[in-house]
Amino acid sequence: MRKKQSNEGNKVGERNYETEDYKGKDQVSVGMATTHEQVSDYYMSGECVPVSDSTEDQPPMPREK
């Protein structure tokens, strides 16, 4: 028997940050406002460094054995 698919994920995935999210009480609004604040703070700090496309100067990704 197949489970009925929910479109709730699409609603959340298509959503963009709005200034009203700071006043929102639902989980998505709080998450959007928090993420926006973190990104804004990081950007304004001036620490944004372009990432190289070269794999030579990137540390190896840790793998579990």
Side-chain angles (χ1 to χ4, degrees):
M1 188 162 123
R2 289 184 132 170
K3 289 185 177 181
K4 187 176 179 181
Q5 290 186 344
S6 171
N7 289 334
E8 188 173 331
N10 291 341
K11 292 178 193 173
V12 173
E14 293 174 354
R15 189 151 165 217
N16 293 319
Y17 166 77
E18 299 289 336
T19 55
E20 294 85 33
D21 288 333
Y22 278 103
K23 298 174 187 170
K25 301 290 184 199
D26 61 296
Q27 186 177 6
V28 176
S29 293
V30 171
M32 293 288 255
T34 302
T35 302
H36 181 267
E37 187 73 23
Q38 290 171 344
V39 170
S40 178
D41 288 348
Y42 183 75
Y43 179 77
M44 295 306 286
S45 73
E47 295 181 20
C48 297
V49 178
V51 178
S52 171
D53 289 336
S54 173
T55 57
E56 295 172 0
D57 48 339
Q58 294 180 1
M61 186 178 291
R63 307 251 185 232
E64 288 187 32
K65 293 182 180 184

Short mmCIF file of all heavy atoms in Angstrom, two decimals:
data_model
loop_
_atom_site.label_atom_id
_atom_site.label_comp_id
_atom_site.label_asym_id
_atom_site.label_seq_id
_atom_site.Cartn_x
_atom_site.Cartn_y
_atom_site.Cartn_z
N MET A 1 0.83 -1.17 0.00
CA MET A 1 0.00 0.00 0.00
C MET A 1 0.89 1.25 0.00
O MET A 1 1.82 1.36 0.77
CB MET A 1 -0.89 -0.02 1.24
CG MET A 1 -1.92 1.04 1.23
SD MET A 1 -3.19 0.60 2.41
CE MET A 1 -3.16 2.02 3.44
N ARG A 2 0.62 2.18 -0.86
CA ARG A 2 1.40 3.41 -0.97
C ARG A 2 0.90 4.45 0.02
O ARG A 2 -0.30 4.58 0.26
CB ARG A 2 1.29 3.99 -2.37
CG ARG A 2 2.02 3.21 -3.40
CD ARG A 2 1.92 3.94 -4.68
NE ARG A 2 3.25 4.02 -5.25
CZ ARG A 2 3.50 4.44 -6.46
NH1 ARG A 2 2.52 4.86 -7.23
NH2 ARG A 2 4.71 4.45 -6.92
N LYS A 3 1.88 5.21 0.54
CA LYS A 3 1.52 6.31 1.42
C LYS A 3 1.10 7.50 0.58
O LYS A 3 1.63 7.74 -0.50
CB LYS A 3 2.70 6.72 2.28
CG LYS A 3 3.06 5.74 3.34
CD LYS A 3 4.16 6.29 4.20
CE LYS A 3 4.49 5.34 5.31
NZ LYS A 3 5.55 5.88 6.18
N LYS A 4 0.14 8.23 1.07
CA LYS A 4 -0.29 9.44 0.39
C LYS A 4 0.78 10.52 0.58
O LYS A 4 1.21 10.80 1.70
CB LYS A 4 -1.62 9.92 0.98
CG LYS A 4 -2.23 11.07 0.24
CD LYS A 4 -3.58 11.42 0.82
CE LYS A 4 -4.17 12.59 0.09
NZ LYS A 4 -5.45 12.98 0.64
N GLN A 5 1.26 11.10 -0.52
CA GLN A 5 2.31 12.10 -0.44
C GLN A 5 1.75 13.44 0.02
O GLN A 5 0.66 13.84 -0.37
CB GLN A 5 3.00 12.27 -1.78
CG GLN A 5 3.83 11.07 -2.17
CD GLN A 5 4.60 11.33 -3.44
OE1 GLN A 5 4.30 12.26 -4.17
NE2 GLN A 5 5.58 10.50 -3.69
N SER A 6 2.53 14.10 0.84
CA SER A 6 2.14 15.40 1.36
C SER A 6 2.84 16.50 0.55
O SER A 6 3.98 16.36 0.17
CB SER A 6 2.55 15.52 2.82
OG SER A 6 2.38 16.83 3.27
N ASN A 7 2.13 17.55 0.27
CA ASN A 7 2.71 18.69 -0.43
C ASN A 7 3.25 19.73 0.53
O ASN A 7 3.65 20.81 0.11
CB ASN A 7 1.67 19.33 -1.36
CG ASN A 7 1.36 18.46 -2.54
OD1 ASN A 7 2.20 17.65 -2.95
ND2 ASN A 7 0.18 18.60 -3.09
N GLU A 8 3.28 19.42 1.81
CA GLU A 8 3.74 20.38 2.81
C GLU A 8 5.21 20.74 2.59
O GLU A 8 5.62 21.89 2.76
CB GLU A 8 3.55 19.84 4.22
CG GLU A 8 3.84 20.85 5.29
CD GLU A 8 3.49 20.33 6.67
OE1 GLU A 8 2.60 19.50 6.79
OE2 GLU A 8 4.14 20.79 7.61
N GLY A 9 6.03 19.79 2.18
CA GLY A 9 7.45 20.05 1.91
C GLY A 9 7.62 21.05 0.79
O GLY A 9 8.53 21.89 0.82
N ASN A 10 6.76 21.00 -0.21
CA ASN A 10 6.85 21.95 -1.31
C ASN A 10 6.53 23.36 -0.85
O ASN A 10 7.13 24.33 -1.31
CB ASN A 10 5.91 21.55 -2.45
CG ASN A 10 6.37 20.29 -3.16
OD1 ASN A 10 7.52 19.91 -3.06
ND2 ASN A 10 5.45 19.66 -3.86
N LYS A 11 5.57 23.48 0.06
CA LYS A 11 5.21 24.81 0.57
C LYS A 11 6.39 25.44 1.30
O LYS A 11 6.68 26.62 1.12
CB LYS A 11 4.02 24.70 1.53
CG LYS A 11 2.73 24.32 0.89
CD LYS A 11 1.66 24.19 1.95
CE LYS A 11 0.43 23.50 1.40
NZ LYS A 11 -0.55 23.23 2.46
N VAL A 12 7.08 24.65 2.10
CA VAL A 12 8.21 25.15 2.86
C VAL A 12 9.38 25.44 1.93
O VAL A 12 10.04 26.46 2.04
CB VAL A 12 8.64 24.14 3.96
CG1 VAL A 12 9.92 24.59 4.64
CG2 VAL A 12 7.53 23.96 4.97
N GLY A 13 9.64 24.57 0.99
CA GLY A 13 10.76 24.73 0.08
C GLY A 13 10.63 25.90 -0.87
O GLY A 13 11.63 26.45 -1.33
N GLU A 14 9.43 26.31 -1.16
CA GLU A 14 9.21 27.42 -2.09
C GLU A 14 9.15 28.77 -1.36
O GLU A 14 9.02 29.80 -1.99
CB GLU A 14 7.91 27.21 -2.85
CG GLU A 14 7.96 26.03 -3.79
CD GLU A 14 6.62 25.73 -4.43
OE1 GLU A 14 5.61 26.37 -4.07
OE2 GLU A 14 6.58 24.85 -5.29
N ARG A 15 9.26 28.74 -0.07
CA ARG A 15 9.10 29.96 0.72
C ARG A 15 10.39 30.77 0.75
O ARG A 15 11.48 30.23 0.81
CB ARG A 15 8.72 29.56 2.14
CG ARG A 15 8.32 30.73 2.94
CD ARG A 15 7.34 30.40 4.00
NE ARG A 15 7.36 31.55 4.88
CZ ARG A 15 7.26 31.48 6.17
NH1 ARG A 15 7.08 30.34 6.76
NH2 ARG A 15 7.32 32.57 6.89
N ASN A 16 10.28 32.08 0.73
CA ASN A 16 11.40 33.00 0.83
C ASN A 16 11.26 33.79 2.12
O ASN A 16 10.17 33.94 2.68
CB ASN A 16 11.42 33.98 -0.35
CG ASN A 16 11.73 33.29 -1.64
OD1 ASN A 16 12.57 32.41 -1.71
ND2 ASN A 16 11.03 33.69 -2.69
N TYR A 17 12.38 34.36 2.55
CA TYR A 17 12.39 35.18 3.77
C TYR A 17 11.53 36.43 3.57
O TYR A 17 11.59 37.09 2.54
CB TYR A 17 13.82 35.58 4.12
CG TYR A 17 13.88 36.68 5.13
CD1 TYR A 17 13.64 36.42 6.46
CD2 TYR A 17 14.15 38.00 4.74
CE1 TYR A 17 13.67 37.45 7.40
CE2 TYR A 17 14.18 39.02 5.67
CZ TYR A 17 13.94 38.74 6.99
OH TYR A 17 13.96 39.74 7.91
N GLU A 18 10.75 36.74 4.55
CA GLU A 18 9.94 37.96 4.59
C GLU A 18 10.21 38.64 5.93
O GLU A 18 10.48 37.97 6.93
CB GLU A 18 8.44 37.64 4.48
CG GLU A 18 8.05 36.95 3.19
CD GLU A 18 8.12 37.86 1.98
OE1 GLU A 18 8.02 39.08 2.15
OE2 GLU A 18 8.29 37.33 0.88
N THR A 19 10.14 39.95 5.97
CA THR A 19 10.40 40.66 7.23
C THR A 19 9.40 40.28 8.32
O THR A 19 9.72 40.37 9.51
CB THR A 19 10.38 42.18 7.02
OG1 THR A 19 9.15 42.56 6.41
CG2 THR A 19 11.54 42.62 6.14
N GLU A 20 8.23 39.84 7.94
CA GLU A 20 7.22 39.42 8.93
C GLU A 20 7.65 38.16 9.68
O GLU A 20 7.06 37.82 10.71
CB GLU A 20 5.87 39.15 8.25
CG GLU A 20 5.22 40.37 7.64
CD GLU A 20 5.72 40.66 6.24
OE1 GLU A 20 6.04 39.72 5.49
OE2 GLU A 20 5.80 41.85 5.89
N ASP A 21 8.65 37.44 9.16
CA ASP A 21 9.10 36.22 9.83
C ASP A 21 9.65 36.49 11.22
O ASP A 21 9.63 35.62 12.09
CB ASP A 21 10.16 35.50 8.98
CG ASP A 21 9.56 34.84 7.75
OD1 ASP A 21 8.37 34.49 7.79
OD2 ASP A 21 10.28 34.68 6.75
N TYR A 22 10.16 37.71 11.47
CA TYR A 22 10.65 38.06 12.80
C TYR A 22 9.52 38.09 13.82
O TYR A 22 9.75 37.87 15.00
CB TYR A 22 11.37 39.41 12.79
CG TYR A 22 12.80 39.30 12.33
CD1 TYR A 22 13.16 39.68 11.05
CD2 TYR A 22 13.79 38.81 13.17
CE1 TYR A 22 14.46 39.58 10.62
CE2 TYR A 22 15.09 38.69 12.76
CZ TYR A 22 15.43 39.08 11.48
OH TYR A 22 16.73 38.97 11.05
N LYS A 23 8.31 38.32 13.37
CA LYS A 23 7.16 38.38 14.27
C LYS A 23 6.41 37.06 14.32
O LYS A 23 5.55 36.87 15.16
CB LYS A 23 6.19 39.48 13.82
CG LYS A 23 6.81 40.85 13.84
CD LYS A 23 5.86 41.88 13.26
CE LYS A 23 6.54 43.22 13.13
NZ LYS A 23 5.75 44.17 12.37
N GLY A 24 6.74 36.13 13.40
CA GLY A 24 6.03 34.86 13.30
C GLY A 24 6.31 33.95 14.48
O GLY A 24 7.37 33.99 15.09
N LYS A 25 5.35 33.12 14.78
CA LYS A 25 5.48 32.18 15.90
C LYS A 25 5.65 30.74 15.42
O LYS A 25 6.03 29.88 16.21
CB LYS A 25 4.23 32.25 16.79
CG LYS A 25 3.96 33.61 17.37
CD LYS A 25 4.97 33.97 18.42
CE LYS A 25 4.61 35.31 19.04
NZ LYS A 25 5.71 35.93 19.72
N ASP A 26 5.39 30.48 14.13
CA ASP A 26 5.50 29.10 13.66
C ASP A 26 6.97 28.75 13.43
O ASP A 26 7.84 29.61 13.32
CB ASP A 26 4.70 28.89 12.37
CG ASP A 26 5.17 29.77 11.24
OD1 ASP A 26 5.07 31.01 11.38
OD2 ASP A 26 5.64 29.23 10.24
N GLN A 27 7.26 27.47 13.37
CA GLN A 27 8.62 26.97 13.29
C GLN A 27 9.35 27.45 12.04
O GLN A 27 10.53 27.81 12.10
CB GLN A 27 8.62 25.45 13.33
CG GLN A 27 9.99 24.84 13.40
CD GLN A 27 9.95 23.33 13.52
OE1 GLN A 27 8.88 22.73 13.45
NE2 GLN A 27 11.09 22.72 13.70
N VAL A 28 8.68 27.50 10.91
CA VAL A 28 9.30 27.92 9.67
C VAL A 28 9.68 29.40 9.73
O VAL A 28 10.78 29.79 9.33
CB VAL A 28 8.39 27.64 8.45
CG1 VAL A 28 9.01 28.16 7.18
CG2 VAL A 28 8.13 26.15 8.33
N SER A 29 8.80 30.23 10.23
CA SER A 29 9.09 31.67 10.35
C SER A 29 10.28 31.92 11.27
O SER A 29 11.16 32.72 10.96
CB SER A 29 7.88 32.43 10.88
OG SER A 29 6.83 32.40 9.94
N VAL A 30 10.32 31.24 12.39
CA VAL A 30 11.42 31.40 13.33
C VAL A 30 12.73 30.94 12.68
O VAL A 30 13.75 31.62 12.78
CB VAL A 30 11.15 30.61 14.63
CG1 VAL A 30 12.38 30.57 15.52
CG2 VAL A 30 9.97 31.19 15.37
N GLY A 31 12.69 29.83 11.96
CA GLY A 31 13.88 29.33 11.29
C GLY A 31 14.37 30.27 10.20
O GLY A 31 15.57 30.51 10.05
N MET A 32 13.44 30.81 9.42
CA MET A 32 13.81 31.75 8.36
C MET A 32 14.42 33.02 8.94
O MET A 32 15.43 33.52 8.45
CB MET A 32 12.58 32.11 7.52
CG MET A 32 12.04 30.97 6.72
SD MET A 32 13.10 30.56 5.37
CE MET A 32 12.17 31.24 4.04
N ALA A 33 13.83 33.55 10.01
CA ALA A 33 14.35 34.76 10.63
C ALA A 33 15.73 34.52 11.23
O ALA A 33 16.64 35.35 11.09
CB ALA A 33 13.39 35.26 11.71
N THR A 34 15.91 33.39 11.88
CA THR A 34 17.20 33.06 12.49
C THR A 34 18.28 32.90 11.43
O THR A 34 19.38 33.45 11.55
CB THR A 34 17.09 31.75 13.31
OG1 THR A 34 16.09 31.93 14.31
CG2 THR A 34 18.42 31.40 13.96
N THR A 35 17.97 32.17 10.37
CA THR A 35 18.94 31.96 9.29
C THR A 35 19.28 33.28 8.61
O THR A 35 20.45 33.55 8.32
CB THR A 35 18.39 30.95 8.27
OG1 THR A 35 18.09 29.73 8.95
CG2 THR A 35 19.39 30.68 7.17
N HIS A 36 18.28 34.10 8.38
CA HIS A 36 18.52 35.41 7.76
C HIS A 36 19.45 36.26 8.62
O HIS A 36 20.37 36.91 8.12
CB HIS A 36 17.20 36.14 7.51
CG HIS A 36 17.38 37.47 6.87
ND1 HIS A 36 17.49 38.62 7.61
CD2 HIS A 36 17.50 37.81 5.57
CE1 HIS A 36 17.66 39.64 6.77
NE2 HIS A 36 17.67 39.18 5.54
N GLU A 37 19.23 36.24 9.91
CA GLU A 37 20.06 37.01 10.84
C GLU A 37 21.50 36.50 10.81
O GLU A 37 22.44 37.29 10.77
CB GLU A 37 19.49 36.89 12.26
CG GLU A 37 20.17 37.77 13.26
CD GLU A 37 19.82 39.23 13.12
OE1 GLU A 37 18.76 39.55 12.56
OE2 GLU A 37 20.63 40.06 13.56
N GLN A 38 21.69 35.19 10.80
CA GLN A 38 23.04 34.62 10.79
C GLN A 38 23.77 34.96 9.49
O GLN A 38 24.94 35.36 9.53
CB GLN A 38 22.97 33.11 10.97
CG GLN A 38 22.53 32.69 12.35
CD GLN A 38 22.27 31.21 12.44
OE1 GLN A 38 22.12 30.51 11.44
NE2 GLN A 38 22.21 30.70 13.67
N VAL A 39 23.10 34.81 8.38
CA VAL A 39 23.72 35.12 7.08
C VAL A 39 24.04 36.60 6.98
O VAL A 39 25.13 36.98 6.53
CB VAL A 39 22.80 34.66 5.93
CG1 VAL A 39 23.31 35.18 4.59
CG2 VAL A 39 22.69 33.15 5.91
N SER A 40 23.14 37.43 7.43
CA SER A 40 23.34 38.87 7.38
C SER A 40 24.54 39.27 8.25
O SER A 40 25.40 40.06 7.83
CB SER A 40 22.08 39.59 7.86
OG SER A 40 22.28 40.98 7.87
N ASP A 41 24.63 38.72 9.45
CA ASP A 41 25.75 39.03 10.35
C ASP A 41 27.08 38.58 9.74
O ASP A 41 28.07 39.30 9.79
CB ASP A 41 25.56 38.36 11.71
CG ASP A 41 24.47 39.00 12.54
OD1 ASP A 41 24.01 40.10 12.17
OD2 ASP A 41 24.08 38.39 13.56
N TYR A 42 27.09 37.40 9.16
CA TYR A 42 28.32 36.86 8.56
C TYR A 42 28.74 37.73 7.37
O TYR A 42 29.90 38.08 7.23
CB TYR A 42 28.10 35.42 8.11
CG TYR A 42 29.34 34.79 7.54
CD1 TYR A 42 30.38 34.39 8.38
CD2 TYR A 42 29.47 34.58 6.18
CE1 TYR A 42 31.52 33.82 7.86
CE2 TYR A 42 30.61 34.00 5.65
CZ TYR A 42 31.64 33.62 6.50
OH TYR A 42 32.76 33.06 5.99
N TYR A 43 27.79 38.10 6.56
CA TYR A 43 28.09 38.93 5.38
C TYR A 43 28.61 40.30 5.81
O TYR A 43 29.59 40.80 5.27
CB TYR A 43 26.84 39.08 4.52
CG TYR A 43 27.06 39.94 3.31
CD1 TYR A 43 27.72 39.46 2.19
CD2 TYR A 43 26.61 41.26 3.28
CE1 TYR A 43 27.93 40.25 1.07
CE2 TYR A 43 26.82 42.07 2.17
CZ TYR A 43 27.48 41.55 1.08
OH TYR A 43 27.69 42.34 -0.02
N MET A 44 27.97 40.91 6.78
CA MET A 44 28.37 42.25 7.22
C MET A 44 29.71 42.25 7.95
O MET A 44 30.37 43.27 8.03
CB MET A 44 27.29 42.87 8.11
CG MET A 44 25.97 43.12 7.38
SD MET A 44 26.16 44.10 5.89
CE MET A 44 26.43 45.70 6.61
N SER A 45 30.13 41.09 8.47
CA SER A 45 31.41 41.03 9.17
C SER A 45 32.58 41.12 8.19
O SER A 45 33.71 41.36 8.60
CB SER A 45 31.51 39.74 9.98
OG SER A 45 31.69 38.62 9.13
N GLY A 46 32.32 40.90 6.91
CA GLY A 46 33.37 41.01 5.90
C GLY A 46 34.24 39.78 5.80
O GLY A 46 35.31 39.82 5.20
N GLU A 47 33.83 38.68 6.39
CA GLU A 47 34.64 37.47 6.37
C GLU A 47 34.36 36.58 5.18
O GLU A 47 34.89 35.49 5.09
CB GLU A 47 34.41 36.67 7.65
CG GLU A 47 34.86 37.39 8.90
CD GLU A 47 34.64 36.58 10.15
OE1 GLU A 47 34.49 35.35 10.05
OE2 GLU A 47 34.60 37.17 11.22
N CYS A 48 33.53 37.03 4.27
CA CYS A 48 33.18 36.21 3.11
C CYS A 48 34.39 36.10 2.19
O CYS A 48 34.90 37.10 1.70
CB CYS A 48 32.00 36.80 2.35
SG CYS A 48 30.51 36.85 3.33
N VAL A 49 34.85 34.90 1.99
CA VAL A 49 36.01 34.64 1.15
C VAL A 49 35.57 33.75 0.00
O VAL A 49 34.91 32.73 0.23
CB VAL A 49 37.13 33.95 1.96
CG1 VAL A 49 38.33 33.65 1.10
CG2 VAL A 49 37.50 34.79 3.17
N PRO A 50 35.91 34.10 -1.23
CA PRO A 50 35.52 33.23 -2.34
C PRO A 50 36.17 31.85 -2.21
O PRO A 50 37.32 31.73 -1.80
CB PRO A 50 36.03 33.95 -3.58
CG PRO A 50 36.83 35.09 -3.12
CD PRO A 50 36.64 35.25 -1.66
N VAL A 51 35.41 30.84 -2.55
CA VAL A 51 35.89 29.46 -2.48
C VAL A 51 36.47 29.08 -3.83
O VAL A 51 35.88 29.32 -4.87
CB VAL A 51 34.73 28.51 -2.10
CG1 VAL A 51 35.22 27.09 -2.07
CG2 VAL A 51 34.14 28.92 -0.78
N SER A 52 37.62 28.46 -3.79
CA SER A 52 38.28 28.02 -5.02
C SER A 52 37.59 26.77 -5.54
O SER A 52 37.15 25.91 -4.77
CB SER A 52 39.75 27.71 -4.72
OG SER A 52 40.36 27.10 -5.82
N ASP A 53 37.50 26.63 -6.85
CA ASP A 53 36.93 25.43 -7.45
C ASP A 53 37.93 24.29 -7.49
O ASP A 53 37.58 23.15 -7.76
CB ASP A 53 36.44 25.71 -8.88
CG ASP A 53 35.21 26.59 -8.89
OD1 ASP A 53 34.49 26.60 -7.87
OD2 ASP A 53 34.95 27.25 -9.91
N SER A 54 39.19 24.59 -7.22
CA SER A 54 40.24 23.59 -7.26
C SER A 54 40.15 22.68 -6.04
O SER A 54 39.97 23.14 -4.91
CB SER A 54 41.61 24.26 -7.30
OG SER A 54 42.63 23.30 -7.18
N THR A 55 40.29 21.39 -6.24
CA THR A 55 40.26 20.45 -5.12
C THR A 55 41.64 20.30 -4.49
O THR A 55 41.78 19.69 -3.44
CB THR A 55 39.76 19.07 -5.57
OG1 THR A 55 40.60 18.59 -6.63
CG2 THR A 55 38.33 19.15 -6.04
N GLU A 56 42.68 20.86 -5.11
CA GLU A 56 44.04 20.72 -4.61
C GLU A 56 44.26 21.46 -3.30
O GLU A 56 44.99 21.01 -2.43
CB GLU A 56 45.04 21.23 -5.65
CG GLU A 56 45.04 20.41 -6.92
CD GLU A 56 45.89 21.05 -8.00
OE1 GLU A 56 46.47 22.13 -7.76
OE2 GLU A 56 45.96 20.46 -9.08
N ASP A 57 43.64 22.63 -3.13
CA ASP A 57 43.87 23.42 -1.94
C ASP A 57 42.77 23.27 -0.89
O ASP A 57 42.64 24.08 0.00
CB ASP A 57 44.08 24.89 -2.28
CG ASP A 57 43.03 25.45 -3.23
OD1 ASP A 57 42.40 24.65 -3.93
OD2 ASP A 57 42.86 26.68 -3.28
N GLN A 58 41.98 22.22 -1.00
CA GLN A 58 40.95 21.95 -0.01
C GLN A 58 41.37 20.76 0.84
O GLN A 58 41.93 19.78 0.32
CB GLN A 58 39.61 21.65 -0.69
CG GLN A 58 39.04 22.83 -1.42
CD GLN A 58 37.72 22.50 -2.10
OE1 GLN A 58 37.23 21.38 -1.98
NE2 GLN A 58 37.17 23.46 -2.78
N PRO A 59 41.12 20.80 2.13
CA PRO A 59 41.50 19.66 2.98
C PRO A 59 40.64 18.45 2.63
O PRO A 59 39.51 18.57 2.15
CB PRO A 59 41.19 20.14 4.40
CG PRO A 59 40.22 21.27 4.23
CD PRO A 59 40.48 21.86 2.89
N PRO A 60 41.20 17.25 2.84
CA PRO A 60 40.43 16.05 2.51
C PRO A 60 39.22 15.91 3.41
O PRO A 60 39.25 16.32 4.58
CB PRO A 60 41.43 14.91 2.75
CG PRO A 60 42.46 15.48 3.66
CD PRO A 60 42.51 16.95 3.39
N MET A 61 38.16 15.36 2.88
CA MET A 61 36.94 15.15 3.64
C MET A 61 37.12 13.93 4.53
O MET A 61 37.54 12.87 4.07
CB MET A 61 35.75 14.92 2.71
CG MET A 61 34.44 14.83 3.43
SD MET A 61 33.04 14.63 2.30
CE MET A 61 33.01 16.21 1.53
N PRO A 62 36.87 14.06 5.85
CA PRO A 62 37.04 12.91 6.74
C PRO A 62 36.03 11.81 6.40
O PRO A 62 34.88 12.07 6.11
CB PRO A 62 36.80 13.48 8.13
CG PRO A 62 36.06 14.75 7.91
CD PRO A 62 36.39 15.23 6.54
N ARG A 63 36.47 10.61 6.42
CA ARG A 63 35.62 9.45 6.13
C ARG A 63 35.67 8.47 7.29
O ARG A 63 36.74 8.24 7.88
CB ARG A 63 36.11 8.73 4.87
CG ARG A 63 36.25 9.63 3.68
CD ARG A 63 35.18 9.30 2.69
NE ARG A 63 35.40 10.08 1.49
CZ ARG A 63 34.49 10.83 0.94
NH1 ARG A 63 33.31 10.91 1.46
NH2 ARG A 63 34.74 11.51 -0.15
N GLU A 64 34.55 7.90 7.61
CA GLU A 64 34.51 6.87 8.65
C GLU A 64 34.91 5.54 8.03
O GLU A 64 34.58 5.24 6.90
CB GLU A 64 33.10 6.76 9.24
CG GLU A 64 32.74 7.94 10.10
CD GLU A 64 31.41 7.72 10.80
OE1 GLU A 64 31.09 6.58 11.13
OE2 GLU A 64 30.72 8.72 11.01
N LYS A 65 35.65 4.77 8.81
CA LYS A 65 36.08 3.45 8.30
C LYS A 65 35.24 2.36 8.88
O LYS A 65 34.65 2.41 9.85
CB LYS A 65 37.55 3.22 8.64
CG LYS A 65 38.44 4.16 7.88
CD LYS A 65 39.87 3.88 8.19
CE LYS A 65 40.74 4.86 7.42
NZ LYS A 65 42.13 4.60 7.58
#
